[in-house]
mmCIF file of all heavy atoms in Angstrom:
data_model
loop_
_atom_site.group_PDB
_atom_site.id
_atom_site.type_symbol
_atom_site.label_atom_id
_atom_site.label_comp_id
_atom_site.label_asym_id
_atom_site.label_seq_id
_atom_site.Cartn_x
_atom_site.Cartn_y
_atom_site.Cartn_z
ATOM 1 N N VAL A 336 -49.934 37.465 -256.988
ATOM 2 C CA VAL A 336 -49.686 38.627 -257.984
ATOM 3 C C VAL A 336 -50.326 38.329 -259.241
ATOM 4 O O VAL A 336 -51.099 39.144 -259.843
ATOM 5 C CB VAL A 336 -48.287 38.952 -258.093
ATOM 6 C CG1 VAL A 336 -48.089 39.966 -259.142
ATOM 7 C CG2 VAL A 336 -47.640 39.431 -256.709
ATOM 8 N N ALA A 337 -50.102 37.092 -259.808
ATOM 9 C CA ALA A 337 -50.688 36.693 -261.040
ATOM 10 C C ALA A 337 -52.236 36.583 -261.011
ATOM 11 O O ALA A 337 -52.930 37.109 -261.889
ATOM 12 C CB ALA A 337 -50.173 35.284 -261.518
ATOM 13 N N ASP A 338 -52.801 36.079 -259.946
ATOM 14 C CA ASP A 338 -54.245 35.974 -259.862
ATOM 15 C C ASP A 338 -54.883 37.398 -259.690
ATOM 16 O O ASP A 338 -55.966 37.680 -260.313
ATOM 17 C CB ASP A 338 -54.610 35.142 -258.584
ATOM 18 C CG ASP A 338 -54.420 33.660 -258.812
ATOM 19 O OD1 ASP A 338 -54.497 33.215 -259.999
ATOM 20 O OD2 ASP A 338 -54.385 32.888 -257.777
ATOM 21 N N ASN A 339 -54.206 38.272 -258.967
ATOM 22 C CA ASN A 339 -54.607 39.587 -258.866
ATOM 23 C C ASN A 339 -54.642 40.317 -260.216
ATOM 24 O O ASN A 339 -55.615 41.150 -260.510
ATOM 25 C CB ASN A 339 -53.854 40.386 -257.851
ATOM 26 C CG ASN A 339 -54.196 39.968 -256.348
ATOM 27 O OD1 ASN A 339 -55.320 39.446 -256.175
ATOM 28 N ND2 ASN A 339 -53.257 40.170 -255.489
ATOM 29 N N GLN A 340 -53.557 40.176 -260.927
ATOM 30 C CA GLN A 340 -53.475 40.825 -262.200
ATOM 31 C C GLN A 340 -54.557 40.374 -263.179
ATOM 32 O O GLN A 340 -55.217 41.166 -263.854
ATOM 33 C CB GLN A 340 -52.053 40.517 -262.822
ATOM 34 C CG GLN A 340 -50.961 41.328 -262.157
ATOM 35 C CD GLN A 340 -49.567 40.952 -262.696
ATOM 36 O OE1 GLN A 340 -49.436 40.155 -263.577
ATOM 37 N NE2 GLN A 340 -48.613 41.731 -262.309
ATOM 38 N N GLN A 341 -54.848 39.013 -263.157
ATOM 39 C CA GLN A 341 -55.901 38.467 -264.006
ATOM 40 C C GLN A 341 -57.330 38.988 -263.569
ATOM 41 O O GLN A 341 -58.122 39.312 -264.377
ATOM 42 C CB GLN A 341 -55.815 36.923 -264.039
ATOM 43 C CG GLN A 341 -56.801 36.283 -264.888
ATOM 44 C CD GLN A 341 -56.361 36.396 -266.429
ATOM 45 O OE1 GLN A 341 -55.810 37.311 -266.802
ATOM 46 N NE2 GLN A 341 -56.632 35.381 -267.114
ATOM 47 N N PHE A 342 -57.517 38.966 -262.248
ATOM 48 C CA PHE A 342 -58.751 39.417 -261.720
ATOM 49 C C PHE A 342 -59.012 40.839 -262.195
ATOM 50 O O PHE A 342 -60.181 41.230 -262.447
ATOM 51 C CB PHE A 342 -58.812 39.233 -260.176
ATOM 52 C CG PHE A 342 -60.201 39.569 -259.556
ATOM 53 C CD1 PHE A 342 -61.196 38.577 -259.672
ATOM 54 C CD2 PHE A 342 -60.399 40.741 -258.912
ATOM 55 C CE1 PHE A 342 -62.419 38.990 -259.139
ATOM 56 C CE2 PHE A 342 -61.563 41.029 -258.374
ATOM 57 C CZ PHE A 342 -62.613 40.144 -258.495
ATOM 58 N N ARG A 343 -58.009 41.710 -261.947
ATOM 59 C CA ARG A 343 -58.246 43.099 -262.251
ATOM 60 C C ARG A 343 -58.540 43.190 -263.763
ATOM 61 O O ARG A 343 -59.333 44.189 -264.175
ATOM 62 C CB ARG A 343 -57.078 43.924 -261.838
ATOM 63 C CG ARG A 343 -56.925 44.130 -260.311
ATOM 64 C CD ARG A 343 -55.936 45.277 -260.037
ATOM 65 N NE ARG A 343 -54.599 45.037 -260.564
ATOM 66 C CZ ARG A 343 -53.628 44.452 -259.812
ATOM 67 N NH1 ARG A 343 -53.919 44.008 -258.457
ATOM 68 N NH2 ARG A 343 -52.492 44.193 -260.289
ATOM 69 N N PHE A 344 -57.736 42.536 -264.545
ATOM 70 C CA PHE A 344 -57.926 42.652 -266.000
ATOM 71 C C PHE A 344 -59.306 42.206 -266.442
ATOM 72 O O PHE A 344 -59.956 42.983 -267.206
ATOM 73 C CB PHE A 344 -56.928 41.788 -266.702
ATOM 74 C CG PHE A 344 -57.145 41.695 -268.225
ATOM 75 C CD1 PHE A 344 -56.580 42.676 -268.997
ATOM 76 C CD2 PHE A 344 -57.708 40.699 -268.848
ATOM 77 C CE1 PHE A 344 -56.664 42.691 -270.375
ATOM 78 C CE2 PHE A 344 -57.935 40.692 -270.214
ATOM 79 C CZ PHE A 344 -57.432 41.654 -271.044
ATOM 80 N N GLN A 345 -59.800 41.025 -265.959
ATOM 81 C CA GLN A 345 -61.130 40.564 -266.308
ATOM 82 C C GLN A 345 -62.162 41.468 -265.835
ATOM 83 O O GLN A 345 -63.204 41.699 -266.559
ATOM 84 C CB GLN A 345 -61.269 39.182 -265.830
ATOM 85 C CG GLN A 345 -60.414 38.125 -266.494
ATOM 86 C CD GLN A 345 -60.626 37.926 -267.978
ATOM 87 O OE1 GLN A 345 -61.696 38.256 -268.551
ATOM 88 N NE2 GLN A 345 -59.589 37.408 -268.669
ATOM 89 N N THR A 346 -62.040 42.008 -264.576
ATOM 90 C CA THR A 346 -63.067 42.891 -264.092
ATOM 91 C C THR A 346 -63.216 44.162 -264.879
ATOM 92 O O THR A 346 -64.241 44.619 -265.219
ATOM 93 C CB THR A 346 -62.671 43.238 -262.636
ATOM 94 O OG1 THR A 346 -62.623 41.996 -261.815
ATOM 95 C CG2 THR A 346 -63.643 44.225 -262.011
ATOM 96 N N GLU A 347 -62.030 44.734 -265.341
ATOM 97 C CA GLU A 347 -62.051 45.994 -266.045
ATOM 98 C C GLU A 347 -62.607 45.631 -267.495
ATOM 99 O O GLU A 347 -63.338 46.576 -267.991
ATOM 100 C CB GLU A 347 -60.596 46.588 -266.154
ATOM 101 C CG GLU A 347 -60.537 47.868 -267.029
ATOM 102 C CD GLU A 347 -61.264 48.975 -266.570
ATOM 103 O OE1 GLU A 347 -61.797 48.984 -265.417
ATOM 104 O OE2 GLU A 347 -61.458 50.029 -267.312
ATOM 105 N N LYS A 348 -62.213 44.557 -268.084
ATOM 106 C CA LYS A 348 -62.616 44.220 -269.457
ATOM 107 C C LYS A 348 -64.193 44.105 -269.450
ATOM 108 O O LYS A 348 -64.897 44.749 -270.302
ATOM 109 C CB LYS A 348 -62.057 42.917 -269.806
ATOM 110 C CG LYS A 348 -62.477 42.488 -271.256
ATOM 111 C CD LYS A 348 -61.888 41.252 -271.753
ATOM 112 C CE LYS A 348 -62.478 39.978 -271.093
ATOM 113 N NZ LYS A 348 -61.990 38.758 -271.655
ATOM 114 N N TYR A 349 -64.790 43.444 -268.461
ATOM 115 C CA TYR A 349 -66.223 43.343 -268.513
ATOM 116 C C TYR A 349 -66.896 44.616 -268.076
ATOM 117 O O TYR A 349 -68.097 44.815 -268.421
ATOM 118 C CB TYR A 349 -66.659 42.049 -267.644
ATOM 119 C CG TYR A 349 -66.377 40.801 -268.321
ATOM 120 C CD1 TYR A 349 -65.317 40.009 -268.023
ATOM 121 C CD2 TYR A 349 -67.180 40.378 -269.427
ATOM 122 C CE1 TYR A 349 -65.065 38.824 -268.593
ATOM 123 C CE2 TYR A 349 -66.927 39.197 -270.085
ATOM 124 C CZ TYR A 349 -65.878 38.448 -269.734
ATOM 125 O OH TYR A 349 -65.609 37.272 -270.422
ATOM 126 N N ARG A 350 -66.193 45.438 -267.281
ATOM 127 C CA ARG A 350 -66.864 46.762 -266.916
ATOM 128 C C ARG A 350 -66.950 47.623 -268.204
ATOM 129 O O ARG A 350 -67.925 48.261 -268.348
ATOM 130 C CB ARG A 350 -65.974 47.488 -265.793
ATOM 131 C CG ARG A 350 -66.602 48.751 -265.345
ATOM 132 C CD ARG A 350 -65.505 49.666 -264.692
ATOM 133 N NE ARG A 350 -64.577 50.175 -265.667
ATOM 134 C CZ ARG A 350 -64.876 51.129 -266.551
ATOM 135 N NH1 ARG A 350 -66.015 51.746 -266.491
ATOM 136 N NH2 ARG A 350 -63.822 51.576 -267.374
ATOM 137 N N ARG A 351 -65.830 47.609 -268.961
ATOM 138 C CA ARG A 351 -65.917 48.436 -270.207
ATOM 139 C C ARG A 351 -66.927 47.846 -271.073
ATOM 140 O O ARG A 351 -67.643 48.699 -271.799
ATOM 141 C CB ARG A 351 -64.461 48.391 -270.886
ATOM 142 C CG ARG A 351 -63.411 49.126 -270.074
ATOM 143 C CD ARG A 351 -62.150 49.108 -270.912
ATOM 144 N NE ARG A 351 -61.075 49.861 -270.174
ATOM 145 C CZ ARG A 351 -59.976 50.217 -270.747
ATOM 146 N NH1 ARG A 351 -59.645 49.927 -271.996
ATOM 147 N NH2 ARG A 351 -58.959 50.722 -269.908
ATOM 148 N N LYS A 352 -67.078 46.605 -271.302
ATOM 149 C CA LYS A 352 -68.097 46.027 -272.141
ATOM 150 C C LYS A 352 -69.489 46.433 -271.735
ATOM 151 O O LYS A 352 -70.329 46.760 -272.505
ATOM 152 C CB LYS A 352 -67.962 44.543 -272.214
ATOM 153 C CG LYS A 352 -66.812 43.972 -273.044
ATOM 154 C CD LYS A 352 -66.779 42.526 -273.079
ATOM 155 C CE LYS A 352 -65.876 41.907 -274.181
ATOM 156 N NZ LYS A 352 -65.838 40.477 -274.230
ATOM 157 N N GLY A 353 -69.703 46.260 -270.436
ATOM 158 C CA GLY A 353 -70.950 46.699 -269.860
ATOM 159 C C GLY A 353 -71.374 48.104 -270.033
ATOM 160 O O GLY A 353 -72.531 48.465 -270.151
ATOM 161 N N ALA A 354 -70.330 48.950 -269.943
ATOM 162 C CA ALA A 354 -70.475 50.418 -270.079
ATOM 163 C C ALA A 354 -70.515 50.888 -271.562
ATOM 164 O O ALA A 354 -70.704 52.042 -271.809
ATOM 165 C CB ALA A 354 -69.501 51.207 -269.337
ATOM 166 N N GLY A 355 -70.264 49.934 -272.448
ATOM 167 C CA GLY A 355 -70.221 50.284 -273.859
ATOM 168 C C GLY A 355 -69.027 51.143 -274.223
ATOM 169 O O GLY A 355 -68.964 51.736 -275.273
ATOM 170 N N GLU A 356 -67.932 51.042 -273.397
ATOM 171 C CA GLU A 356 -66.781 51.793 -273.649
ATOM 172 C C GLU A 356 -65.896 51.000 -274.765
ATOM 173 O O GLU A 356 -65.878 49.752 -274.783
ATOM 174 C CB GLU A 356 -65.886 51.953 -272.416
ATOM 175 C CG GLU A 356 -66.642 52.866 -271.371
ATOM 176 C CD GLU A 356 -65.823 52.976 -270.061
ATOM 177 O OE1 GLU A 356 -64.676 52.610 -270.067
ATOM 178 O OE2 GLU A 356 -66.341 53.471 -269.084
ATOM 179 N N PRO A 357 -65.066 51.755 -275.536
ATOM 180 C CA PRO A 357 -64.229 51.085 -276.511
ATOM 181 C C PRO A 357 -63.126 50.216 -275.879
ATOM 182 O O PRO A 357 -62.582 50.740 -274.725
ATOM 183 C CB PRO A 357 -63.693 52.313 -277.393
ATOM 184 C CG PRO A 357 -63.729 53.407 -276.370
ATOM 185 C CD PRO A 357 -64.952 53.280 -275.607
ATOM 186 N N LEU A 358 -62.743 49.178 -276.422
ATOM 187 C CA LEU A 358 -61.711 48.348 -275.955
ATOM 188 C C LEU A 358 -60.453 48.565 -276.761
ATOM 189 O O LEU A 358 -60.479 48.548 -277.975
ATOM 190 C CB LEU A 358 -62.150 46.804 -276.064
ATOM 191 C CG LEU A 358 -63.412 46.467 -275.221
ATOM 192 C CD1 LEU A 358 -63.717 44.973 -275.432
ATOM 193 C CD2 LEU A 358 -63.257 46.771 -273.812
ATOM 194 N N ASP A 359 -59.384 48.656 -276.034
ATOM 195 C CA ASP A 359 -57.974 48.901 -276.794
ATOM 196 C C ASP A 359 -56.977 47.974 -276.095
ATOM 197 O O ASP A 359 -57.178 47.481 -275.016
ATOM 198 C CB ASP A 359 -57.653 50.382 -276.705
ATOM 199 C CG ASP A 359 -57.499 50.884 -275.335
ATOM 200 O OD1 ASP A 359 -57.765 50.093 -274.248
ATOM 201 O OD2 ASP A 359 -57.226 52.060 -275.088
ATOM 202 N N GLY A 360 -55.866 47.855 -276.786
ATOM 203 C CA GLY A 360 -54.741 47.112 -276.284
ATOM 204 C C GLY A 360 -55.132 45.618 -275.946
ATOM 205 O O GLY A 360 -55.819 45.005 -276.760
ATOM 206 N N ASP A 361 -54.663 45.173 -274.728
ATOM 207 C CA ASP A 361 -55.004 43.796 -274.387
ATOM 208 C C ASP A 361 -56.517 43.545 -274.164
ATOM 209 O O ASP A 361 -57.007 42.528 -274.495
ATOM 210 C CB ASP A 361 -54.396 43.475 -273.037
ATOM 211 C CG ASP A 361 -52.810 43.342 -273.130
ATOM 212 O OD1 ASP A 361 -52.334 43.424 -274.283
ATOM 213 O OD2 ASP A 361 -52.123 43.123 -272.094
#
Side-chain angles (χ1 to χ4, degrees):
V336 172
D338 282 339
N339 287 336
Q340 290 177 348
Q341 184 73 329
F342 184 79
R343 286 197 300 268
F344 176 85
Q345 294 296 339
T346 300
E347 176 63 13
K348 182 178 74 173
Y349 285 104
R350 186 201 66 78
R351 292 188 182 191
K352 283 186 174 182
E356 297 179 9
L358 301 178
D359 56 2
D361 290 356

